[in-house]
Amino acid sequence: MAAASVLPSLPVRATDQGDAALEAVAALGVVVIRRAECGGPRQLATYNMGANVLCLSHSLDRDPLKRAKVIQHELVHVVQDCLDGLETPTSLTLAEGLRSSGQLSGEQVNGFFLQHLRKQGNLDHVVASTAQLPFESRQREFEAYALQADPPMVAHLLKATCRL
């Protein structure tokens, strides 16, 4: 049985949905920790693919909507990790996974992510904040920012890619 099957199937509040998704990834073996700081200054959360550790900052408790969005962002990184196997220290971008499966071309995949970023109105911010990252890291962040506002899509990807 896939652990992601515990993801909510009924409409729930964003914080409840985020917490249910965190429980699902914890069942996969991802360690979810809460700390005053995660990563560098002003980082609200991190996911370490080598250690399968997702860290959430306590500061997110003050803003449930931001917390829900940040959780979804980090869950996209878990999905990317699942594409190459949680037991490996590497991950694949969603674009790589879809291209290698022959489901979509690179242009279709990137167009999909661009459409999501434009819809959220954060394309310029994402481009600027990821400009200094290496290509693969930039692609991972691009995908996570694009899907952070789409919890049903993230839940679907978790179910489709992450297995016990």
Side-chain angles (χ1 to χ4, degrees):
M1 178 178 100
S5 65
V6 298
L7 292 171
S9 57
L10 299 173
V12 292
R13 292 182 320 195
T15 53
D16 294 341
Q17 191 172 35
D19 290 338
L22 289 175
E23 289 175 19
V25 296
L28 292 168
V30 172
V31 177
V32 179
I33 59 173
R34 296 175 36 79
R35 292 197 174 142
E37 290 187 7
C38 297
R42 298 188 323 206
Q43 264 190 291
L44 299 174
T46 59
Y47 176 68
N48 181 317
M49 69 181 165
N52 300 336
V53 175
L54 192 157
C55 178
L56 296 172
S57 169
H58 291 298
S59 67
L60 290 168
D61 296 341
R62 294 186 295 263
D63 188 342
L65 292 176
K66 182 182 274 188
R67 180 179 185 272
K69 187 181 282 190
V70 167
I71 288 171
Q72 294 305 311
H73 179 102
E74 296 307 323
L75 291 177
V76 173
H77 293 312
V78 174
V79 169
Q80 293 163 336
D81 199 7
C82 286
L83 286 170
D84 205 29
L86 281 174
E87 69 283 355
T88 69
T90 57
S91 69
L92 293 175
T93 65
L94 295 172
E96 288 173 306
L98 290 168
R99 278 195 305 262
S100 67
S101 69
Q103 294 177 14
L104 297 171
S105 71
E107 293 79 27
Q108 289 170 316
V109 171
N110 287 329
F112 172 79
F113 293 125
L114 278 170
Q115 180 182 2
H116 269 67
L117 289 169
R118 284 186 181 121
K119 183 177 175 184
Q120 292 177 59
N122 64 350
L123 178 59
D124 291 339
H125 165 74
V126 172
V127 169
S129 66
T130 62
Q132 300 301 315
L133 296 174
F135 175 75
E136 268 196 27
S137 297
R138 186 172 53 238
Q139 182 67 31
R140 281 186 187 90
E141 288 303 318
F142 188 74
E143 294 171 356
Y145 277 111
L147 296 180
Q148 70 187 10
D150 194 347
M153 175 65 75
V154 175
H156 170 77
L157 290 168
L158 281 168
K159 285 181 185 179
T161 62
C162 299
R163 305 272 183 242
L164 277 175

